[in-house]
Amino acid sequence: MNYRLAAALVGAALLAGCQWLPEAPQSIAPPPTTGASCDREIPLLVESDCLLDAWVAFGLASQRGDREWRDGLLARLDGEDERSRLARAAVLAWGSEREWDRAATLLENTVIDDAPESLQPLLRYWRNDLEGRRALVGRLARSEDERRALVAERQELEEKLEALTAIEQSINLRQPSP
């Protein structure tokens, strides 16, 4: 019987013993920022564990959003604070080609340098991607201009060839046949 009582006491001590263990020392670092600052439609510019993830998600939402979504968000982002400017740049970067110029202006080096350090590489990537797309559109426009010029030159050469052919036929008709 003593064995049963001892086993019961040991079992009860094991089940309830966690509260008797000393607590782990508390970390000196503040707890990670989560919650409301991470779940915003337009992310904050406050250093937190989710700062980069929140801005990446916002950039992806801007890329996937339709015209109506972008216009609605742009109407709400009329402030001149850094957060509004960066959010506007992300939204405009995925709008029409005309909006790309406005986005590039908003993503100037000074704005990027003023952003939280952990966000700067993403903002530089966005700026470089935007500049790459703008350069491609510029090359496409130049190619199209060159193509049009070549088509016009070809048309002009065809007209000259037809005129020369007509002159040649006229000369051949004037020469006496043997």
Side-chain angles (χ1 to χ4, degrees):
M1 182 92 138
N2 285 336
Y3 291 115
R4 285 186 187 177
L5 182 59
L9 287 174
V10 169
L14 287 174
L15 290 174
C18 292
Q19 75 237 20
W20 303 111
L21 293 174
E23 289 186 24
Q26 293 293 327
S27 165
I28 295 175
T33 307
T34 58
S37 66
C38 296
D39 297 333
R40 294 175 169 262
E41 181 183 17
I42 302 167
L44 297 176
L45 284 175
V46 177
E47 281 291 347
S48 68
D49 291 342
C50 65
L51 176 70
L52 183 60
D53 292 337
W55 279 94
V56 167
F58 182 74
L60 290 173
S62 297
Q63 184 177 3
R64 294 177 186 139
D66 59 7
R67 168 66 28 210
E68 183 179 321
W69 180 85
R70 279 191 199 91
D71 289 345
L73 202 54
L74 287 172
R76 294 184 359 220
L77 291 170
D78 58 356
E80 286 303 315
D81 59 297
E82 187 178 8
R83 175 179 170 234
S84 295
R85 292 181 62 170
L86 288 176
R88 256 195 331 268
V91 172
L92 291 170
W94 293 104
S96 66
E97 291 175 19
R98 289 179 296 158
E99 292 174 326
W100 293 358
D101 292 333
R102 290 177 46 206
T105 302
L106 291 168
L107 286 174
E108 295 173 342
N109 284 330
T110 54
V111 173
I112 292 174
D113 292 341
D114 291 342
E117 191 173 329
S118 62
L119 195 57
Q120 290 177 9
L122 174 67
L123 299 177
R124 284 188 188 97
Y125 172 79
W126 284 354
R127 183 193 58 210
N128 293 341
D129 178 68
L130 179 61
E131 291 302 323
R133 285 186 280 137
R134 290 173 69 203
L136 285 174
V137 166
R139 279 198 342 231
L140 178 63
R142 285 189 302 278
S143 276
E144 185 59 25
D145 289 345
E146 289 173 10
R147 187 191 69 76
R148 281 192 209 112
L150 289 172
V151 165
E153 183 180 354
R154 179 177 169 223
Q155 182 67 31
E156 185 180 317
L157 288 173
E158 285 176 356
E159 289 171 5
K160 286 180 180 180
L161 181 60
E162 287 177 16
L164 287 173
T165 303
I167 292 171
E168 182 183 12
Q169 287 175 349
S170 174
I171 291 173
N172 287 340
L173 290 175
R174 288 185 190 167
Q175 291 181 355
S177 301

